[in-house]
Amino acid sequence: MRRGRCAALAACLILAIAAPQGAAQAQAVDELYASGVRARQAQHFDEAADLLRRSLALKPDNADALVQLGFAELGRYNLPAAREAFSKALSLAPTYRDASFGMAEVEFRSGNLDAALPLAEEVSRAEPGNADASTLVANMRKAQRAGSNKAKPATARKKPRPPRPDPVAGLMEEGRRSRAAGQLPEAEKAYRRALRLAPKNTDILVAIGFVAGFQQKFDEAGQFFDQALAIRPRLLDARLGKVRLAIWQGDVPRARTMIDDVLGTAPDNVEAIALDARISLLEQDYTRAEQSFQRVLAVDPHNAEALVGIGDLRRARGDDGAAREAYRQALAIEPGSADIAQRLAAPPPRKWRLDLGREVSDLTDGLGDWTDSSAGLAYRLSPRTMISGRTRLATRFGHTDVQIEGRIDQAFSPAFSAYALAAATSDADFLARYSIGAGASWQAVAPAKAFGPLSLNIDARYDNFVNADVTTISPWVQAYVLDGRLGLSARWVHAQDDIGTRADGYVLRADLAVTPHFNVFGGYADAPEISDGTLVPTRTVFGGISWDVSDPLTLRASIAHEERPAFDRDMFDLGLTARF
């Protein structure tokens, strides 16, 4: 008796644990199936096929889902996949009339009239009120009569010529195979040939749009999506394509506006929810990103895109180990994904940065040399916060000052960041005894095509010298063109000391990325410089290079010529940055 009660109790516990999991999986199957049927009825065939296949991954013997998948594949002109789906449904339910009707459609479109007509007639007899079956039978008989009328006399009549297979289906299948194999130019050629045969086919237009986008032909991709939307203004696949296009172009605000519009009409669409999560991640709204990714995984636990997103989210939060675990799960679902493999191959993020610099200045009129050396160490506390310290050793006319500086940088959003610093010099001769400063940067214009981003910035500083106090305010603007390769900045400099002396000037600078690892810069300044508490007017021409020798190491070199009222000086600077 005691053993029986224990066994019964154990069975109850097992059922209690398994029931929620089974209920959750059943709910996921039902949600995927219902979403797939709605997508197919709205003629969003690519989306429908994806949703129904996910449903079948959780419940492979669902004959209803197989039939719906068959009709979705018919809508995509994928006759082999449609035939397979209907065949599986008939093996599970041999009297399933919708599956027989679908198989009749497949045979008819494949040109197998002799096989198609009996299937369609069987459905029509069993369901006299089925208008679709009656129409299909009528079309087949019409095709038979057309073949008979063109034949020779009865004694020598040939078999009726079956309808020719739809060439669009073959081209679409060719494009899909090439795209899956990563052969994007070949896929685009196949889709363009299909489009010439069916210029109003929105599935083809969307497919070409994605292939063009994958090749970074963003303008062409947008045109194809727009053509599809001109034919069907609320076409979900095209709207989601434009969202992805905005993400690829780095235009996060535009992507957010479009995905919110999509979610307003399709709040349960899995792809839309995944894109919402991706955009939230770019906006650094990690809470919303995690919620959206988890919504996707609750419906489809094998969604590789959502798992990659979870990995990116964990990496953005600084948890590289957990990120790699999510990437490994995604790679198990999509073993051939180069994108996921690349994420796994990326080295762990480097949180430390060491900056070393040495500047030597040659003064005219036999005034000797100045030197300025610095060493800085920075640590990234979180993806948004960095703290750093710097030591500066400077010599002027036989005197040496040592200054120590601390700084904190904080990114409040992808568009807005700020910093604050404080510095002090013990027994100062010519450097400030202490300094405080702050600044902020706001990305006013997001990247768009060849232009942007554009940021508005401001720096402010107060310096206390032995014999004067100086306040400096510098607002400046920076913009990028040529797909971000060329940066242009203009700075206004306003300085004023404690007795009311004021000086104003400007600094112009250009930065050019010659290669992904080699940059050059140059500029001109006509702005005051603070020298031993005095505002000195100067004119400076400067230029330099930076070279990313490897991922953790960057070398820098610059040269400048400065004109002052009392003397000129030539400056030579060497430096390096190491990340670890």
Side-chain angles (χ1 to χ4, degrees):
M1 288 291 290
R2 189 172 298 171
R3 290 181 181 175
R5 289 176 182 174
C6 291
L9 179 59
C12 290
L13 287 172
I14 292 171
L15 289 173
I17 295 170
Q21 297 177 348
Q25 179 166 319
Q27 182 182 5
V29 170
D30 292 342
E31 289 177 355
L32 286 166
Y33 174 76
S35 298
V37 172
R38 286 195 297 269
R40 187 193 69 77
Q41 291 171 343
Q43 298 187 12
H44 303 153
F45 299 121
D46 286 340
E47 178 191 359
D50 179 59
L51 290 166
L52 292 164
R53 288 189 184 280
R54 293 179 186 176
S55 175
L56 287 164
L58 299 175
K59 188 178 179 183
D61 59 348
N62 188 334
D64 291 330
L66 286 166
V67 169
Q68 291 292 333
L69 175 60
F71 285 118
E73 295 293 2
L74 276 177
R76 299 204 300 176
Y77 299 97
N78 191 347
L79 298 183
R83 183 192 299 277
E84 181 182 3
F86 290 130
S87 295
K88 287 182 179 178
L90 287 170
S91 68
L92 294 169
T95 60
Y96 201 147
R97 301 302 177 193
D98 286 346
S100 296
F101 175 77
M103 187 62 77
E105 283 275 18
V106 171
E107 298 294 357
F108 184 50
R109 296 190 189 188
S110 301
N112 303 324
L113 189 59
D114 291 342
L117 184 55
L119 289 169
E121 288 177 334
E122 179 185 352
V123 176
S124 183
R125 284 194 300 269
E127 300 177 357
N130 189 327
D132 291 334
S134 300
T135 301
L136 183 59
V137 169
N139 289 338
M140 292 180 183
R141 288 174 177 168
K142 184 178 178 180
Q144 271 190 334
R145 287 195 297 272
S148 299
N149 291 338
K150 293 179 182 179
K152 294 180 179 180
T155 55
R157 284 182 182 174
K158 296 181 180 178
K159 293 178 64 175
R161 179 180 297 173
R164 296 181 62 186
D166 187 350
V168 174
L171 290 170
M172 288 289 285
E173 179 61 24
E174 180 183 342
R176 272 190 290 270
R177 286 197 303 267
S178 298
R179 175 176 161 181
Q183 300 169 345
L184 299 181
E186 289 76 8
E188 183 177 350
K189 290 177 184 178
Y191 286 138
R192 286 184 181 275
R193 288 167 58 198
L195 189 63
R196 285 195 291 269
L197 298 173
K200 298 294 185 181
N201 188 310
T202 55
D203 285 339
I204 302 174
L205 288 167
V206 169
I208 301 180
F210 275 112
V211 169
F214 292 149
Q215 298 176 87
Q216 298 188 352
K217 301 176 183 178
F218 298 135
D219 290 339
E220 287 187 35
Q223 291 171 5
F224 285 119
F225 291 138
D226 287 339
Q227 289 179 42
L229 289 168
I231 298 170
R232 291 170 53 193
R234 304 303 293 174
L235 180 61
L236 186 60
D237 288 344
R239 293 164 67 195
L240 292 174
K242 295 202 71 169
V243 174
R244 290 190 183 275
L245 192 59
I247 294 173
W248 294 338
Q249 291 177 293
D251 192 345
V252 178
R254 182 161 62 98
R256 166 55 62 197
T257 300
M258 289 191 294
I259 198 62
D260 286 345
D261 178 61
V262 171
L263 289 170
T265 57
D268 298 322
N269 182 272
V270 172
E271 184 179 357
I273 297 170
L275 286 175
D276 173 76
R278 177 60 60 183
I279 294 166
S280 299
L281 185 57
L282 294 172
E283 294 170 332
Q284 296 185 5
D285 186 349
Y286 298 146
T287 300
R288 176 168 178 170
E290 183 171 19
Q291 291 172 347
S292 295
F293 280 132
Q294 292 296 350
R295 280 184 64 193
V296 174
L297 291 172
V299 176
D300 180 11
H302 300 288
N303 189 299
E305 183 178 7
L307 286 168
V308 169
I310 289 290
D312 291 345
L313 174 62
R314 291 170 177 173
R315 181 164 280 178
R317 284 174 165 168
D319 191 348
D320 189 67
R324 291 178 181 278
E325 178 59 30
Y327 295 147
R328 280 190 283 268
Q329 293 177 29
L331 194 62
I333 297 170
E334 295 186 1
S337 173
D339 183 52
I340 302 173
Q342 185 177 8
R343 280 172 163 82
L344 274 170
R350 296 176 172 87
K351 295 188 175 184
W352 291 92
R353 190 188 74 213
L354 173 67
D355 293 285
L356 300 176
R358 170 76 171 176
E359 179 185 275
V360 177
S361 299
D362 179 28
L363 279 57
T364 59
D365 298 330
L367 295 176
D369 297 335
W370 290 356
T371 63
D372 207 326
S373 303
S374 64
L377 187 63
Y379 177 73
R380 186 170 295 279
L381 284 173
S382 72
R384 294 189 177 191
T385 307
M386 176 175 283
I387 57 172
S388 58
R390 187 176 76 121
T391 300
R392 178 184 177 192
L393 177 67
T395 62
R396 304 283 190 276
F397 303 119
H399 297 281
T400 300
D401 279 354
V402 178
Q403 186 179 72
I404 297 176
E405 177 185 294
R407 171 170 169 154
I408 182 169
D409 291 75
Q410 178 70 35
F412 296 96
S413 74
F416 182 75
S417 61
Y419 73 89
L421 63 84
T425 306
S426 177
D427 298 326
D429 289 313
F430 50 89
L431 294 181
R433 292 185 296 184
Y434 67 87
S435 305
I436 56 174
S441 177
W442 173 51
Q443 187 184 95
V445 179
K449 297 183 180 179
F451 301 98
L454 183 145
S455 61
L456 304 178
N457 315 274
I458 188 167
D459 298 306
R461 186 179 178 107
Y462 171 79
D463 295 295
N464 174 264
F465 291 89
V466 174
N467 57 357
D469 298 336
V470 180
T471 301
T472 307
I473 299 176
S474 300
W476 54 291
V477 61
Q478 185 172 44
Y480 286 88
V481 296
L482 303 179
D483 293 325
R485 293 180 57 242
L486 176 62
L488 303 171
S489 66
R491 178 190 295 265
W492 178 61
V493 180
H494 170 76
Q496 181 173 334
D497 62 19
D498 55 346
I499 60 173
T501 305
R502 302 173 58 177
D504 297 289
Y506 62 88
V507 181
L508 303 176
R509 174 169 169 152
D511 292 78
L512 176 64
V514 181
T515 72
H517 302 287
F518 188 79
N519 302 274
V520 299
F521 68 88
Y524 176 76
D526 186 352
E529 181 173 314
I530 305 170
S531 180
D532 197 11
T534 303
L535 300 179
V536 180
T538 62
R539 291 186 175 90
T540 309
V541 178
F542 59 90
I545 61 172
S546 67
W547 176 33
D548 295 328
V549 180
S550 61
D551 181 58
L553 180 63
T554 299
L555 300 180
R556 303 183 306 275
S558 65
I559 186 171
H561 176 73
E562 180 183 275
E563 296 179 353
R564 298 186 175 205
F567 57 84
D568 295 347
R569 69 169 176 151
D570 294 315
M571 293 164 280
F572 307 90
D573 179 76
L574 294 175
L576 66 82
T577 296
R579 306 165 192 85
F580 53 95

